Amino acid sequence: MGWIEFIQELFTDYTSRTVILGTIVLGVVSGTLGTFAVLRKQSLLGDAISHASLPGIAIVFLLIGYKDPLLFLLGAIASGVIGTLWIRGIQQNTAIKSDTALGIILTVFFGLGIVLLTYIQRLPNANQAGLDSYLFGQAATLMMKDVIIMSVLGGISLLIVLLFWKEHKLLIFDAEYAQTLGFNTRFLDILMTSLIVVAIVLGLQTVGVVLMSAMIIAPAAAARQWTNRLSVMIIIAALFGAVSGIAGTAISTSTKNMATGPVIVLAAVFIVALSFVFAPNRGLLFRYINTLKKRKNHEHTPN
Amino acid sequence: MANLYALEVNDLTVAYRYKPVLWDIDMKIPQGILMGIVGPNGAGKTTLIKAILGLVQPVAGSVRIFGKPYKKARSKVAYVPQKGSVDWDFPTNVLDVVLMGTYGKLGWIKRPGKEEKKQALEALEKVGMLEFRHRQISELSGGQQQRVFLARALLENAEIYFMDEPFQGVDAITEKAIIKLLKELGSQGKTVIAVHHDLQSVPEYFDWVTFLNVKKVAAGPVKDIFNDDNLTKTYGINFQLSETPS
Amino acid sequence: MSIPQIEIQFIAIIVAVACAIPGAFLVLRRMAMISDAISHAILPGIVIGFFITQDVSSPFLVLMAAATGVLTVVLVEIINRTRLVKEDAAIGLVFPALFSIGVILITRFAGDVHIDTHAVLVGELAFAPFNQLIINGNPMGPKSLWVMGGILVLSLVLLGVFYKELKISTFDPQLAASLGFTPVVIHYGLMTMTSITAVGAFDAVGAILVVALMIVPPAAAYLMTQSLNRMLVLSSVIGIAAAIAGYWIAHFLNVSIGGSMAAILGFIFLLIYFFAPKRGVISVLMRRKQQKLEFSMLTFLLHLRNHSIENSNPEEREVSHLTDHFQWTSKRAKEVLEFAENNNMIRIDDGMVELTDKGYSFTDEAMQYILTDKKNELESMKGRFLLFRAE
């Protein structure tokens, strides 16, 4: 199936429409909450959370024996949260530095997840098909039921972002000041971290645990280059997220045997690269031209 | 209210990992004065302000602002943090940062409206930053950043202002603007308490001074206590004002 | 045990030790996540190298893939220098991109590359014995054993030669620079060695779990010891234990060896995290509790002393007032008072508290230390004065 047929099919074929809808939701939610994560300098926490969610999915499957998108999401959230709490515990109670704490949780939880996954593979349970797609993502496995769950959870997350807009902005910019104004910053911090966990977990089926962190970072990092307003940055990030989601899904579903995650990530990183170079004001090209101009001016002004 | 102290600190002790940072601090600050807190590095100046504002949990002691604990007097307090404490590359502009000063009064969820914006513009005018209101904050100089923080604090319409190193790394224009603002606040009967590091300018800027080095060495009107003796006690070296390096 | 089983465990042990050595320095230099980036980013290098050499164990492939790893570090540093994004975001952008390219190459050319995406993640240690090094028609043991052994020897030699430089540049980069060791050289040397090790270990444990072997044992060792030598040895021991235990658990459950090694490492880390003497969580929390009680007593005594000097306010010495003043719960107040009394610091008469002579000299000395900023002396002083330490 080529590109053009794919786009034609998009509007006619039920399955493709489901998949595209799902990736749009994923892109918008991860772009929006990724903006918070990137601005809070928690980019790599996303990487740890996404890897840490794998055992949760596997354990839920071992318990129930079939595939249930909602329970998988809850399992992933639970194990992502446990990972996050352990990271905080290591940071607060030991002399181990935070990046090491991230690395420990990331690899250990992922290792455990792989053990469980390979164990499940040996089970004579036919229902296990599909768990592997959580590693690198497989958009084609998205069902309407998945998309509805993603939309509801994502919609609630976005609503919370809107509702606590000014509080979130204040927390990221100046948490101590927020506290002196009387805001409960501990609550806000937990709220924001939970939203980021939800955003990551929503993308696991499509992008996979290994690469989901890039979908948190890339759209936001690209959007930052085009604007100096938080609201605009979030809108652009959501847009970039959706675009890379659609592009990645289109390419991967039109190619045989292609996991969706890597293609979506490459699309997103490609947008980042374009933004780094061509964004007005901040972009490298703009800066280069500016220094050239300055040098020229300098030559023309007599000392 | 007139005879209440603006700030009362009783036996305040703060420790970091059970090592004392502030020890048994007592002070009673009357209303309407401008007070500088001076002391060597590591004397606990910033910690004192943070402990008063409830940002740092004290081991013992209590703080009262206009006779009430901080949580109940919050609306009377404004805070100007060190400008280096935030990420100035945050995607927002000057007006937006200043508007944050209204968030406390607005409470949860409610957004600033026209009235708040008007006040923000007035505050920016006062610090001479009106023309920069749409400027992205990363494009500000150190002095301009400081003035943005001051404008934000002005918007809190407080009775007592806590400022952490407001004069650090600012240009001459900003320095003048801050002094003018301090005097203006003073003349309105507001109280200002500022961490300060330039000893030479203390008599010029402030009415009162607190010497701090883990323990309070002295506190009182500048003309009474700003002398070589207290400076020596605070800084632990022989001090002669005339030779103070600037 | 069959010969392949012995060979597999032998490889796992060598991989564990080879990873622990650069890993210890990465952990100490706060570069743990850089190793994560490197281990992901070497994938396209491995795949392209495989196209050329058709052999995962080829030294050429190892070097080429290692170059990709170093390139990643350079790329992250370049992006950081543009200041367009924060450092952690730069890492988080570069390695997923390179890793994605690797995965796509593998899936696109699945027929030509004998690596599947699963192996990328967890390695294929179980198959290592089938790829024997053959010299003059004689099998000489698994190829990856030779490759990894070579990498370990190289690592040990470099560690031996540059031990002093590595140590100083890790603990005090400024001193290192002033002594004439260029930290940049050491930095890239370490990055190169990390990359080479990651590539060598790829076959055994895959791209992600190699990070577990690099980071978790040194982090656990870090909680057990404060000496670099011991940390290196202990990391290796922990790595070896996890390698052997991991292998057998994987064997009995019939699951991935790499995954099981990482999970065992997690378990070992969990134990050490809680139970390490001095730096484990339980010991830390107990010590904090002790320090809190002792510190509460100290503040209490000093307050008492201030007010007995003034002596103007007798109610300042009333038990009820004191507990009020510090806003302690009655349980806490009782604890502090008892602790002070047991240590012979105070006398309680009729609800009034008074310092004993010992209490006076204790507070005197404590005050000296606090005001002269010798706060560390407080601890040794407590040892001299306190009959009973808080538990």
Side-chain angles (χ1 to χ4, degrees):
Chain A
M1 188 166 62
W3 251 104
I4 306 198
E5 294 107 272
F6 177 82
I7 291 168
Q8 281 172 345
E9 226 184 80
L10 240 185
F11 297 97
T12 49
D13 182 63
Y14 175 79
T15 324
S16 313
R17 228 170 21 207
T18 311
V19 168
I20 288 294
L21 220 60
T23 35
I24 290 176
V25 174
L26 153 85
V28 169
V29 177
S30 59
T32 307
L33 288 154
T35 301
F36 286 165
V38 165
L39 289 175
R40 294 193 86 189
K41 299 174 194 109
Q42 286 185 334
S43 302
L44 293 176
L45 181 66
D47 199 25
I49 292 173
S50 70
H51 283 76
S53 61
L54 186 59
I57 297 170
I59 288 171
V60 168
F61 180 82
L62 281 173
L63 289 176
I64 63 174
Y66 60 93
K67 199 181 162 211
D68 181 298
L70 187 60
L71 289 178
F72 276 13
L73 278 182
L74 293 179
I77 289 175
S79 102
V81 167
I82 292 171
T84 315
L85 290 179
W86 197 5
I87 290 170
R88 294 221 169 158
I90 295 174
Q91 289 166 347
Q92 282 167 11
N93 298 323
T94 73
I96 291 174
K97 305 297 177 292
S98 59
D99 70 317
T100 305
L102 290 176
I104 293 169
I105 300 308
L106 188 160
T107 54
V108 165
F109 274 62
F110 186 72
L112 182 65
I114 289 290
V115 167
L116 294 171
L117 230 54
T118 42
Y119 180 76
I120 288 169
Q121 273 176 350
R122 317 278 191 259
L123 293 178
N125 193 338
N127 278 330
Q128 49 113 334
L131 268 197
D132 258 12
S133 68
Y134 278 92
L135 290 175
F136 289 115
Q138 200 54 265
T141 62
L142 280 177
M143 303 287 178
M144 205 55 204
K145 198 180 164 197
D146 302 309
V147 176
I148 290 170
I149 292 170
M150 284 170 73
S151 310
V152 171
L153 276 178
I156 294 172
S157 306
L158 294 187
L159 217 65
I160 295 175
V161 169
L162 268 182
L163 208 58
F164 293 102
W165 177 257
K166 114 176 165 288
E167 288 79 8
H168 284 317
K169 182 162 69 176
L170 187 58
L171 180 78
I172 302 172
F173 179 64
D174 197 346
E176 283 198 335
Y177 185 68
Q179 207 183 326
T180 67
L181 292 181
F183 292 102
N184 185 341
T185 48
R186 183 191 287 254
F187 164 75
L188 280 173
D189 178 38
I190 292 172
L191 182 69
M192 197 184 284
T193 311
S194 312
L195 290 176
I196 294 172
V197 172
V198 170
I200 290 168
V201 167
L202 284 186
L204 295 183
Q205 197 181 348
T206 317
V207 183
V209 298
V210 181
L211 290 164
M212 187 53 207
S213 68
M215 281 309 285
I216 291 293
I217 304 170
R224 179 67 191 91
Q225 315 312 322
W226 298 89
T227 175
N228 283 322
R229 300 280 297 165
L230 180 63
S231 48
V232 182
M233 179 177 168
I234 284 196
I235 293 168
I236 297 179
L239 198 74
F240 282 165
V243 167
S244 23
I246 296 171
T249 311
I251 296 168
S252 80
T253 16
S254 56
T255 318
K256 218 181 112 214
N257 271 338
M258 182 73 86
T260 325
V263 192
I264 292 186
V265 167
L266 274 187
V269 174
F270 182 64
I271 296 177
V272 175
L274 288 183
S275 306
F276 278 5
V277 178
F278 296 109
N281 294 320
R282 281 174 77 103
L284 297 173
L285 194 66
F286 183 89
R287 277 202 230 164
Y288 180 68
I289 293 171
N290 246 7
T291 33
L292 280 190
K293 265 191 203 154
K294 262 185 204 155
R295 204 173 297 160
K296 226 177 194 175
N297 283 345
H298 193 73
E299 279 163 14
H300 284 286
T301 35
N303 292 334
Chain B
M1 177 142 159
N3 36 22
L4 273 178
Y5 286 109
L7 172 69
E8 257 181 285
V9 177
N10 298 310
D11 306 314
L12 186 76
T13 295
V14 178
Y16 176 71
R17 297 255 155 111
Y18 306 105
K19 281 178 189 156
V21 183
L22 282 178
W23 194 267
D24 218 11
I25 307 286
D26 274 294
M27 44 166 85
K28 288 191 165 70
I29 311 302
Q31 294 182 33
I33 61 145
L34 309 178
M35 186 179 81
I37 302 175
V38 297
N41 284 337
K45 298 176 300 240
T46 297
T47 310
L48 177 58
I49 286 192
K50 287 193 172 174
I52 292 170
L53 295 173
L55 294 171
V56 170
Q57 211 50 46
V59 179
S62 63
V63 172
R64 295 196 156 245
I65 292 166
F66 295 105
K68 290 188 191 133
Y70 176 72
K71 276 190 181 148
K72 296 213 170 112
R74 194 173 267 140
S75 62
K76 293 199 176 77
V77 182
Y79 172 44
V80 182
Q82 263 178 40
K83 63 181 189 298
S85 65
V86 301
D87 174 15
W88 288 95
D89 195 36
F90 188 81
T92 192
N93 64 19
V94 168
L95 183 60
D96 217 31
V97 171
V98 176
L99 275 170
M100 288 175 183
T102 66
Y103 285 10
K105 290 219 165 54
L106 286 169
W108 289 88
I109 295 171
K110 241 177 108 188
R111 308 275 173 91
K114 264 190 191 148
E115 178 53 34
E116 283 79 15
K117 210 168 162 186
K118 207 183 111 221
Q119 291 169 8
L121 294 176
E122 280 168 18
L124 277 171
E125 173 118 59
K126 262 188 196 158
V127 298
M129 289 285 292
L130 190 58
E131 56 186 305
F132 295 100
R133 61 188 178 279
H134 296 306
R135 182 73 62 94
Q136 148 68 11
I137 57 170
S138 66
E139 291 160 13
L140 301 175
S141 71
Q144 291 168 335
Q145 291 172 350
Q146 192 64 59
R147 282 187 274 162
V148 169
F149 266 8
L150 283 169
R152 182 174 77 169
L154 283 179
L155 230 61
E156 291 186 60
N157 239 327
E159 292 298 320
I160 182 165
Y161 291 78
F162 292 93
M163 304 183 179
D164 200 347
E165 300 269 17
F167 292 101
Q168 180 145 56
V170 301
D171 49 287
I173 301 170
T174 304
E175 190 163 338
K176 268 190 201 135
I178 301 176
I179 298 166
K180 195 176 139 232
L181 197 70
L182 287 185
K183 301 286 173 201
E184 199 182 314
L185 288 171
S187 69
Q188 291 168 4
K190 316 256 176 179
T191 313
V192 178
I193 292 170
V195 169
H196 196 59
H197 67 282
D198 177 25
L199 292 170
Q200 213 114 57
S201 53
V202 167
E204 190 189 333
Y205 296 169
F206 298 106
D207 318 326
W208 272 45
V209 64
T210 290
F211 290 99
L212 189 73
N213 191 356
V214 184
K215 260 177 90 86
K216 181 189 76 182
V217 177
V222 171
K223 58 178 177 354
D224 298 342
I225 66 158
F226 194 69
N227 51 39
D228 291 351
D229 185 35
N230 280 328
L231 283 165
T232 308
K233 271 190 206 154
T234 311
Y235 287 84
I237 36 171
N238 250 332
F239 238 99
Q240 280 178 318
L241 264 179
S242 47
E243 288 172 17
T244 310
S246 56
Chain C
M1 264 192 278
S2 65
I3 289 180
Q5 282 184 330
I6 294 172
E7 283 174 347
I8 290 172
Q9 289 177 70
F10 210 49
I11 297 173
I13 288 169
I14 291 179
V15 168
V17 178
C19 286
I21 293 170
F25 291 99
L26 292 170
V27 166
L28 289 171
R29 289 166 161 247
R30 305 176 189 200
M31 294 175 69
M33 289 309 277
I34 288 274
S35 72
D36 188 46
I38 289 179
S39 74
H40 282 81
I42 53 175
L43 186 61
I46 291 175
V47 177
I48 295 168
F50 190 84
F51 284 149
I52 301 169
T53 62
Q54 294 295 317
D55 179 3
V56 183
S57 309
S58 141
F60 173 74
L61 177 142
V62 171
L63 286 181
M64 186 169 163
T68 336
V70 180
L71 185 75
T72 314
V73 179
V74 176
L75 211 54
V76 169
E77 280 162 10
I78 288 175
I79 293 179
N80 280 336
R81 218 163 294 151
T82 66
R83 295 218 206 142
L84 290 171
V85 287
K86 309 277 180 277
E87 179 176 6
D88 61 335
I91 295 177
L93 286 170
V94 171
F95 80 78
L98 288 165
F99 192 67
S100 296
I101 293 173
V103 174
I104 289 173
L105 286 176
I106 290 173
T107 37
R108 282 302 280 156
F109 305 98
D112 308 320
V113 188
H114 302 286
I115 314 170
D116 66 16
T117 45
H118 240 285
V120 166
L121 297 173
V122 299
E124 279 185 335
L125 195 48
F127 299 138
F130 300 126
N131 189 6
Q132 294 271 332
L133 178 70
I134 293 169
I135 295 174
N136 296 334
N138 299 320
M140 306 289 290
K143 258 189 191 171
S144 51
L145 184 61
W146 286 100
V147 171
M148 219 43 230
I151 291 172
L152 175 61
V153 169
L154 177 65
S155 205
L156 287 171
V157 168
L158 288 172
L159 178 70
V161 175
F162 296 109
Y163 184 78
K164 190 180 65 194
E165 286 80 357
L166 270 165
K167 190 172 172 177
I168 295 177
S169 72
T170 300
F171 291 102
D172 193 347
Q174 278 172 337
L175 176 68
S178 71
L179 288 177
F181 318 136
T182 26
V184 182
V185 174
I186 299 283
H187 170 73
Y188 279 105
L190 183 61
M191 292 299 100
T192 310
M193 208 50 231
T194 306
S195 303
I196 292 175
T197 312
V199 179
F202 172 82
D203 209 17
V205 288
I208 298 186
L209 297 176
V210 64
V211 183
L213 285 170
M214 283 191 182
I215 295 175
V216 186
Y222 183 68
L223 293 178
M224 301 285 287
T225 174
Q226 305 234 44
S227 121
L228 178 59
N229 282 335
R230 262 178 256 148
M231 187 172 155
L232 283 166
V233 174
L234 201 57
S235 314
S236 306
V237 171
I238 293 170
I240 291 169
I244 295 170
Y247 170 76
W248 285 105
I249 285 175
H251 179 77
F252 288 119
L253 292 177
N254 196 9
V255 294
S256 143
I257 301 174
S260 144
M261 277 163 69
I264 294 294
L265 278 174
F267 181 67
I268 295 176
F269 179 79
L270 185 72
L271 289 182
I272 293 179
Y273 171 70
F274 278 116
F275 301 111
K278 285 188 187 156
R279 304 178 91 176
V281 170
I282 291 175
S283 149
V284 164
L285 292 182
M286 271 169 56
R287 193 166 54 246
R288 279 192 198 160
K289 204 179 152 210
Q290 173 202 334
Q291 283 174 333
K292 193 175 171 191
L293 182 57
E294 290 176 359
F295 190 80
S296 297
M297 184 191 73
L298 183 62
T299 43
F300 168 70
L301 295 178
L302 279 160
H303 180 78
L304 207 59
R305 182 165 178 274
N306 284 352
H307 290 282
S308 57
I309 291 175
E310 293 162 16
N311 230 355
S312 51
N313 261 342
E315 73 263 24
E316 288 277 0
R317 294 191 286 122
E318 270 172 33
V319 174
S320 57
H321 167 87
L322 286 165
T323 54
D324 235 32
H325 167 81
F326 290 107
Q327 296 178 331
W328 288 334
T329 59
S330 54
K331 183 172 162 259
R332 177 116 203 100
K334 201 171 150 234
E335 255 178 5
V336 177
L337 276 173
E338 260 174 26
F339 183 56
E341 212 179 358
N342 286 344
N343 274 300
N344 200 18
M345 297 288 183
I346 53 166
R347 264 191 306 270
I348 307 181
D349 271 328
D350 211 15
M352 297 287 274
V353 191
E354 214 168 337
L355 281 180
T356 59
D357 289 345
K358 187 182 166 203
Y360 272 107
S361 39
F362 179 73
T363 46
D364 255 356
E365 211 170 313
M367 214 55 228
Q368 274 304 313
Y369 288 138
I370 292 163
L371 290 185
T372 50
D373 216 28
K374 285 184 198 148
K375 290 165 195 166
N376 290 326
E377 306 269 341
L378 273 174
E379 274 309 308
S380 67
M381 188 193 83
K382 281 187 200 158
R384 279 186 283 120
F385 271 92
L386 298 183
L387 303 169
F388 306 100
R389 297 301 295 260
E391 274 159 29

